[in-house]
Amino acid sequence: MHDDAAEGLRVRDLVVELGFVTRADVELALEVQEELHEQGEHAHLLDVLEDLGLIDERQHDQVLLHQDMRLVLAEIPGGRRDHRPERWIVAAVVPAALIPSTLGILAAAAVLALGAVIAAGSPRRWVALGWLAAIGVPGVPPAAAAAAGATGSATGSARSRATALLRAAALTAALAPLPLLPVALTPLHYLVAAAALVAALRRWS
Amino acid sequence: MKGPFLRSPQSTRGLMIQVVAAATPALIAAVVRLGAPAAAVIVSAIAGAVAVEALYHRRGLADGSAVVTGVIVALLLPATAPPWLAAAGGAIAIGLGKAPWGGLGKNPFNPAALARGVLMVVVPAHLFAPAWTWDAVTAASPLSKEIGATAPGWLALAQGDVPGCLGQAAPWTIVLGGVALAAMRTIDWRVPLAYLATVALLAVVLPGGDRVAAHAPWLVGDPLVHLLGGGTLVAAFFLLTDPVTAPMTPGARVAFAAIAGAATMAVRHYTPYPDGAALAVLLANALAPWLDRLTVERRVTPRGRRAPRDQR
Amino acid sequence: MIEIAALDAVFLAAAVTLTADRRGELRWVALVPLLAAVAALAPAGAYAYLVPPVVALLATAPPVRAPAPALVLAAPAYGSLVAAVTAGAAYLAAIWLADGLDRRIEQRGVSASWRGAPARLLVIAALYAALQPVGHL
């Protein structure tokens, strides 16, 4: 689902610019990526390059780091450029859909905000794994961990992950009064609301 | 102006007029039999659909597709539905079922079936009421597996003297409209035939679940209850025949209708839901791309070779 | 564990799968309900409080790029092993159906603001409505 062009910088250009591979290597990797896509597997270009043995893990991380740095430089202060709002919107509705109490949702929002601190300096997937220790407490942590995973596991810069988690925390907090409504909300409500919100944000931006 | 996926030489507006004309006897019969509440449901559903269509695509109003959607939504709702619910149904059909996808000809799910499915999740009490007031008598739908449901007579079913949706008020009018559409080749006759045949066959051979055995044993072995009850006929002639959400080849369309028939019967026999016709249509819609891949791509792909990219 | 119906968890998991990096790992995600059900059957005794974190750890370790759907699927209390296997299968079925519809939607040219994630979420919402009776089978 990842769209490098949408992130503002194309990995395919950066990896050549850094001298790790040639254009021909990139073309080959893109073909393999396309094949995988047709088989239903959506692999990131860098993962394909690594699987083909054209770059190693260190170079993989270097490309992401360079991308992060350039994104930070390019980004408008305040992180107003948001090309993938679905990351934090979906992450925000997960705790709201899973937790049936206002206090619980607020607690999940706090956990998500704390997750933003961890996300800022950690590689992908650690956001979710970081919350495993707290999962024994009923209710909030699994939902928050799932939500954090939704944003944290997505490819992108550390800064964009942290920003996404903060936005998710804010939206989750805004959803906290929902359990007080006299109507029963189902996942259908949350899914449709998330879809509409993503579409509205895209149109607005 | 033609819808991009309506594979008919006729104009979209002409097709819509035909569908509304085919549904008109059923609408009139519902109003005559059920009175003002049925009229309120019809008007509200159409108003809801047209209002949302006007917000999204003014152009879409001219082809009449919003009116058709509103009419079909109304046929799937009970006369006991409050007007706001019917308006919400029409609005959901267009607002979720059609507009986000880019308008007529692009939606993956039948909008009216989607509206019914969403309402079943969001306000189940209004659609699953075990007892509905009908001709001043309170009774339960014969398809409901609840205490209080009673076995319907065949004559009562044929005359529509059982609680249910507006489309059930006079089943013969739905059949009349459907046959007229098939005769004009507006719809593919194989689709309703395959759907109704599957429902009838499974009604005879499928054993009932625990709930059916306890509260509605008449649902087992009696095809007429299933053919004339619930939204079966509306689904057969007005939902499954939507060319936008059905597969492309005749063979795939027959399989599509048979899958919907099997799903309808599975819901009626093995779940507490009184009717699964609209849900079965949604499930069949979801399988339509797969049926297309099975049939269309097999035709265009030589054995042992991959189809060119533009054919996938 | 939090109280959520298995069918609700299946479709929420399908929604957060939007963010999963490696779609090939979803078969592991589909095994998570079975893992959770087996763990719930284990006589943990005084160590019962350790079961949820261990389940979460085991759930997220193999599908390292898809922890969110794995955690959501680990949340419900599955009534039986059959219910857990059904939930895993329903999850894969929902993803498969949504993928098929995605292709059709792309071919037809959905409007720009609804393309991709919003369309996918709406498809999952529609499937959620359509497959409600599955929860009662």
Side-chain angles (χ1 to χ4, degrees):
Chain A
M1 301 300 292
H2 182 64
D3 184 356
D4 293 313
E7 290 279 358
L9 191 67
R10 301 199 321 171
V11 163
R12 68 184 68 174
D13 299 326
L14 195 54
V15 74
V16 174
E17 192 185 325
L18 289 170
F20 295 151
V21 294
T22 63
R23 283 275 169 210
D25 293 333
V26 171
E27 290 303 319
L28 173 69
L30 286 170
E31 279 181 27
V32 172
Q33 189 187 36
E34 181 66 21
E35 294 273 341
L36 289 170
H37 181 77
E38 284 165 9
Q39 291 165 18
E41 188 170 336
H42 302 270
H44 191 274
L45 181 62
L46 283 174
D47 291 327
V48 177
L49 284 166
E50 195 179 327
D51 290 345
L52 290 171
L54 297 169
I55 59 170
D56 58 28
E57 196 178 344
R58 189 182 55 81
Q59 290 170 323
H60 180 144
D61 290 340
Q62 269 187 300
V63 176
L64 286 180
L65 183 65
H66 275 265
Q67 192 184 37
D68 288 351
M69 286 168 57
R70 294 191 188 190
L71 277 170
V72 169
L73 290 172
E75 228 169 59
I76 299 166
R80 294 177 75 181
R81 280 178 62 185
D82 185 7
H83 300 289
R84 298 192 66 201
E86 67 269 19
R87 281 198 302 173
W88 57 272
I89 289 172
V90 170
V93 302
V94 168
L98 289 175
I99 302 171
S101 76
T102 294
L103 275 180
I105 296 174
L106 283 174
V111 172
L112 281 170
L114 192 58
V117 178
I118 297 173
S122 65
R124 71 188 79 146
R125 94 175 176 262
W126 283 100
V127 187
L129 296 179
W131 297 107
L132 285 174
I135 272 182
V137 183
V140 177
T151 51
S153 63
T155 309
S157 68
R159 180 189 164 119
S160 72
R161 278 202 301 271
T163 309
L165 270 169
L166 280 176
R167 287 176 172 153
L171 182 57
T172 302
L175 297 176
L178 289 180
L180 302 174
L181 293 175
V183 293
L185 295 177
T186 67
L188 191 141
H189 292 92
Y190 290 105
L191 291 170
V192 171
L197 198 50
V198 174
L201 274 177
R202 281 186 183 174
R203 180 169 282 193
W204 175 70
S205 63
Chain B
M1 183 175 65
K2 289 177 191 171
F5 286 85
L6 291 174
R7 293 171 287 277
S8 164
Q10 303 165 77
S11 72
T12 303
R13 189 181 166 83
L15 284 171
M16 297 304 160
I17 289 170
Q18 286 178 10
V19 176
V20 171
T24 299
L27 297 174
I28 292 171
V31 173
V32 169
R33 293 187 60 82
L34 305 170
V41 166
I42 295 164
V43 171
S44 305
I46 294 173
V50 169
V52 176
E53 180 81 38
L55 281 177
Y56 274 96
H57 301 105
R58 285 266 164 90
R59 201 181 54 184
L61 286 177
D63 62 31
S65 60
V67 174
V68 169
T69 303
V71 163
I72 300 172
V73 167
L75 289 175
L76 290 169
L77 293 175
T80 51
W84 66 262
L85 184 78
I92 289 168
I94 301 294
L96 286 184
K98 188 177 153 194
W101 313 104
L104 185 66
K106 296 179 178 176
N107 47 300
F109 295 101
N110 181 281
L114 184 66
R116 165 85 191 192
V118 168
L119 290 176
M120 283 168 90
V121 174
V122 177
V123 283
H126 285 285
L127 297 171
F128 295 153
W132 293 333
T133 301
W134 180 267
D135 286 349
V137 176
T138 299
S141 160
L143 290 177
S144 69
K145 278 91 47 178
E146 303 284 348
I147 297 167
T150 52
W154 286 11
L155 191 62
L157 276 168
Q159 290 178 339
D161 284 340
V162 289
C165 59
L166 296 195
Q168 254 179 285
W172 62 271
T173 56
I174 299 283
V175 176
L176 185 72
V179 169
L181 287 175
M184 290 185 291
R185 300 195 174 187
T186 303
I187 63 171
D188 181 349
W189 59 271
R190 283 168 285 227
V191 172
L193 190 64
Y195 177 69
L196 296 174
T198 306
V199 167
L201 178 70
L202 292 179
V204 172
V205 301
L206 264 190
D210 293 343
R211 252 174 195 275
V212 167
H215 301 303
W218 56 85
L219 293 180
V220 179
D222 186 351
L224 267 186
V225 177
H226 293 285
L227 291 174
L228 301 177
T232 310
L233 290 173
V234 179
F237 292 109
F238 290 100
L239 298 181
L240 289 164
T241 51
D242 172 11
V244 175
T245 53
M248 287 184 275
T249 63
R253 280 201 291 268
V254 169
F256 162 83
I259 288 169
T264 301
M265 289 308 297
V267 171
R268 289 181 181 176
H269 268 48
Y270 304 116
T271 76
Y273 284 62
D275 191 12
L279 301 183
V281 171
L282 291 179
L283 181 65
N285 290 159
L287 287 167
W290 174 69
L291 291 169
D292 273 338
R293 287 186 75 182
L294 273 184
T295 52
V296 178
E297 291 186 12
R298 190 162 288 178
R299 283 185 181 187
V300 299
T301 311
R303 184 169 295 189
R305 295 181 63 185
R306 299 178 59 183
R309 190 175 150 67
D310 60 350
Q311 290 178 353
R312 276 180 247 159
Chain C
M1 291 288 158
I2 37 185
E3 284 185 20
I4 181 171
L7 198 70
D8 290 1
V10 162
F11 284 94
L12 281 175
V16 295
T17 301
L18 265 175
T19 61
D21 244 10
R22 284 280 178 93
R23 301 297 297 277
E25 289 176 347
L26 298 189
R27 68 190 73 136
W28 295 109
V29 175
L31 290 176
V32 168
L34 186 60
L35 175 75
V38 169
L41 292 176
Y47 299 102
Y49 71 95
L50 280 178
V51 172
V54 170
V55 168
L57 187 62
L58 292 174
T60 49
V64 290
R65 304 287 175 88
L71 279 167
V72 172
L73 281 176
Y78 296 99
S80 65
L81 294 182
V82 173
V85 171
T86 306
Y91 169 73
L92 286 182
I95 297 287
W96 176 71
L97 287 173
D99 282 347
L101 287 163
D102 269 358
R103 277 189 290 275
R104 174 167 278 210
I105 292 162
E106 276 174 29
Q107 286 165 2
R108 293 182 178 184
V110 179
S111 57
S113 54
W114 287 90
R115 201 169 295 148
R120 177 89 176 185
L121 289 169
L122 282 189
V123 163
I124 291 170
L127 290 174
Y128 174 78
L131 294 174
Q132 277 298 300
V134 172
H136 299 279
L137 284 174

